[in-house]
Amino acid sequence: MRSTYYTQAPAVTIQLGARLGRLLKEGDIVFLFGELGAGKTHFVKGIAEGLGVTDLIKSPTYAYVNTYDLKKGRSLHHYDLYRLEPGDDVTSLGYEETLADPKAINVVEWADRLGDRLPSRYIRVDILMEEDTRSIAIDFVYPTRLRDDMTQSYYEEWQTPLHVRAHSEKVTDVARQIAEVYIQKNQIVDINLIHTACMLHDLCRLCDFREIKKDRFQEGVTDAKWQKWAELRKKYKGVHHADIASDFLKSCGFEETAEVIRLHKSVNIVREFKSYNSLEKWIVYYADKRVKHAEIVNLAERFRDGQARHGILNTPEQQAEFKEVEKRTYDLEKMLFEKLDIGPGDII
Ligand code: ADP
Ligand code: MG
């Protein structure tokens, strides 16, 4: 699952590249795919701009690579492998060295020339052209990435109840609507991360339901399922479902999705506000607060529902913390929609 952007002018392609450039960290690698004239070099111009390079960026077609100094001893290597034949040796270009340099950022045009010799972590940019329109698909590839087609098998593994799955699908829908508007605004969003985190945020919700009653579930609860549920609830007694799912997915190697899921737990927005450091984390947290069961509602209604179900148990300290959670969530809503042409009420 990738985020696809449409640009109608070279300047917009550059702007999109710059937004990606601003997110790049040391060690990041960007591979660009697309025909001659697709706009790869324009995109790289943007990346360089986003990284603070002020030199004129030209395609290094004859040199294969141009290097630019960045702040803090870092550097940007811009490769253009157009003249390389498939299977040709890239070692003589210094490619392996700069790719392995932890202080470097590498950007490679004509990455298809590398065949399947791609590292395990990179950002893939595919540009397709049609007259003056370019569709630019951006995909974040990393070994610890959970693929969107894997979510169903985790539901099965954890025997996640059907109504929890329905809730999760609705949350995914809300998050996608918001993410799509950000993508239309040419903001860089990892849509796969949002999708998988939303789908699995309540994977282990069953474990911390206050009580369970067989007839409350829409599916037929077999004895085997009931027993499995009882075992899970016993094993994870007292642990919040966000932490159970997050620890589990981390143990499977899916760090990024695990962390986004951990942060859907409401109190975390008060206890560790600083951890909410990406658009993906904001969107997933917020989308969950807009869905009551499998219905899209406003924040007030969702909070009222939460209070009705848990309110009486709260100590004054918890009550105060909950007020703060509400306030932070409203602030987040404001922040999320500030830059968009739609409002919270337009999510349907
Ligand atoms: P590549 O490096 O993929 O060969 P370049 O970036 O050098 O491509 O060139 C792209 C060409 O397409 C330029 O002539 C540019 O003006 C033109 N162009 C037209 N529309 C766009 C667009 N939306 N984005 C990028 N380039 C565009
Ligand atoms: Mg080029």
Side-chain angles (χ1 to χ4, degrees), residues 40-41 59 80 109-110:
K40 299 182 294 301
T41 303
S59 211
D80 186 322
E109 289 189 51
W110 292 99

PDB file of all heavy atoms in Angstrom, residues 40-41 59 80 109-110, ligand 2:
ATOM      1  N   LYS A  40      12.209  12.741 -12.306  1.00  0.00           N
ATOM      2  CA  LYS A  40      13.032  12.247 -11.189  1.00  0.00           C
ATOM      3  C   LYS A  40      13.993  13.330 -10.700  1.00  0.00           C
ATOM      4  O   LYS A  40      14.097  13.588  -9.499  1.00  0.00           O
ATOM      5  CB  LYS A  40      13.836  10.996 -11.619  1.00  0.00           C
ATOM      6  CG  LYS A  40      12.964   9.818 -12.042  1.00  0.00           C
ATOM      7  CD  LYS A  40      13.787   8.594 -12.400  1.00  0.00           C
ATOM      8  CE  LYS A  40      14.651   8.756 -13.648  1.00  0.00           C
ATOM      9  NZ  LYS A  40      13.886   9.073 -14.877  1.00  0.00           N
ATOM     10  N   THR A  41      14.679  13.969 -11.664  1.00  0.00           N
ATOM     11  CA  THR A  41      15.650  14.983 -11.256  1.00  0.00           C
ATOM     12  C   THR A  41      14.950  16.166 -10.581  1.00  0.00           C
ATOM     13  O   THR A  41      15.461  16.732  -9.617  1.00  0.00           O
ATOM     14  CB  THR A  41      16.486  15.445 -12.468  1.00  0.00           C
ATOM     15  OG1 THR A  41      17.119  14.294 -13.035  1.00  0.00           O
ATOM     16  CG2 THR A  41      17.559  16.442 -12.045  1.00  0.00           C
ATOM     17  N   SER A  59      21.488  16.783 -13.010  1.00  0.00           N
ATOM     18  CA  SER A  59      21.598  15.339 -13.054  1.00  0.00           C
ATOM     19  C   SER A  59      23.034  14.934 -13.368  1.00  0.00           C
ATOM     20  O   SER A  59      23.624  15.446 -14.301  1.00  0.00           O
ATOM     21  CB  SER A  59      20.656  14.794 -14.115  1.00  0.00           C
ATOM     22  OG  SER A  59      20.226  13.538 -13.708  1.00  0.00           O
ATOM     23  N   ASP A  80      22.815   8.976 -10.622  1.00  0.00           N
ATOM     24  CA  ASP A  80      21.984   8.776 -11.800  1.00  0.00           C
ATOM     25  C   ASP A  80      22.586   7.603 -12.566  1.00  0.00           C
ATOM     26  O   ASP A  80      23.685   7.700 -13.111  1.00  0.00           O
ATOM     27  CB  ASP A  80      21.970  10.036 -12.671  1.00  0.00           C
ATOM     28  CG  ASP A  80      20.986   9.897 -13.827  1.00  0.00           C
ATOM     29  OD1 ASP A  80      20.893   8.781 -14.393  1.00  0.00           O
ATOM     30  OD2 ASP A  80      20.308  10.884 -14.156  1.00  0.00           O
ATOM     31  N   GLU A 109      18.632   7.911  -8.963  1.00  0.00           N
ATOM     32  CA  GLU A 109      17.760   7.883 -10.139  1.00  0.00           C
ATOM     33  C   GLU A 109      18.056   6.625 -10.948  1.00  0.00           C
ATOM     34  O   GLU A 109      19.175   6.163 -10.971  1.00  0.00           O
ATOM     35  CB  GLU A 109      18.004   9.117 -11.015  1.00  0.00           C
ATOM     36  CG  GLU A 109      17.499  10.400 -10.400  1.00  0.00           C
ATOM     37  CD  GLU A 109      17.572  11.568 -11.386  1.00  0.00           C
ATOM     38  OE1 GLU A 109      17.075  11.431 -12.518  1.00  0.00           O
ATOM     39  OE2 GLU A 109      18.150  12.603 -11.000  1.00  0.00           O
ATOM     40  N   TRP A 110      17.063   6.129 -11.630  1.00  0.00           N
ATOM     41  CA  TRP A 110      17.183   4.901 -12.424  1.00  0.00           C
ATOM     42  C   TRP A 110      17.579   3.719 -11.542  1.00  0.00           C
ATOM     43  O   TRP A 110      18.445   2.925 -11.897  1.00  0.00           O
ATOM     44  CB  TRP A 110      18.208   5.073 -13.570  1.00  0.00           C
ATOM     45  CG  TRP A 110      17.723   6.029 -14.598  1.00  0.00           C
ATOM     46  CD1 TRP A 110      18.088   7.343 -14.699  1.00  0.00           C
ATOM     47  CD2 TRP A 110      16.767   5.802 -15.645  1.00  0.00           C
ATOM     48  NE1 TRP A 110      17.416   7.960 -15.738  1.00  0.00           N
ATOM     49  CE2 TRP A 110      16.595   7.013 -16.336  1.00  0.00           C
ATOM     50  CE3 TRP A 110      16.014   4.682 -16.045  1.00  0.00           C
ATOM     51  CZ2 TRP A 110      15.723   7.140 -17.413  1.00  0.00           C
ATOM     52  CZ3 TRP A 110      15.163   4.811 -17.131  1.00  0.00           C
ATOM     53  CH2 TRP A 110      15.018   6.028 -17.798  1.00  0.00           C
TER      54      TRP A 110
HETATM   55 MG    MG B   2      17.151  12.679 -14.372  1.00  0.00          MG
END
